[in-house]
Amino acid sequence: MVPIILVTLVLLWQAVLVGYTFTLASGAADEGVRKAVASGAWDRQSRCRAAVYERLPSAWEGPAQIQECGSEGNDMVKATITLKAPVLFPGFASLPIPVRATAGAAAEGK
């Protein structure tokens, strides 16, 4: 019975890590868009990237990919972040399934 309980606990822990990765990805995308919208049009992309990496814990920064961060046209700011969920604990290995989050907001000022 003990092995079944241990395997169940490991699977539950892995589910928690995947869920936490989804939360981190969406929070980082939201923060990147928020900072980009509040900045001027000339430095939206750099502010967005800096805010994304500032929001992520160090174990998730390495495998983080920012596909899009900044203006989409003149009136929309969008960020798309892809993270990899860790296996058992952060920094060890990653699942081959990417976790993607997208956020967007209308640009301020004209």
Side-chain angles (χ1 to χ4, degrees):
M1 191 69 172
V2 172
I4 293 173
I5 292 172
L6 289 177
V7 168
T8 303
L9 287 175
V10 166
L11 291 175
L12 287 173
W13 175 246
Q14 187 60 50
V16 167
L17 281 177
V18 170
Y20 185 58
T21 303
F22 272 101
T23 302
L24 286 175
S26 65
D30 287 342
E31 185 69 18
V33 167
R34 190 182 68 77
K35 292 279 185 165
V37 165
S39 68
W42 60 90
D43 68 343
R44 280 191 179 136
Q45 188 165 5
S46 62
R47 291 267 180 121
C48 179
R49 287 181 178 276
V52 166
Y53 284 119
E54 186 177 301
R55 179 75 186 250
L56 293 174
S58 60
W60 275 269
E61 280 179 8
Q65 295 176 349
I66 304 172
Q67 283 82 17
E68 186 177 359
C69 203
S71 294
E72 182 183 270
N74 289 331
D75 57 351
M76 188 72 175
V77 177
K78 188 176 177 183
T80 302
I81 314 297
T82 302
L83 297 176
K84 291 187 178 178
V87 175
L88 295 183
F89 59 90
F92 175 61
S94 298
L95 291 175
I97 304 164
V99 173
R100 180 172 290 147
T102 301
E108 290 182 2
K110 279 243 173 191

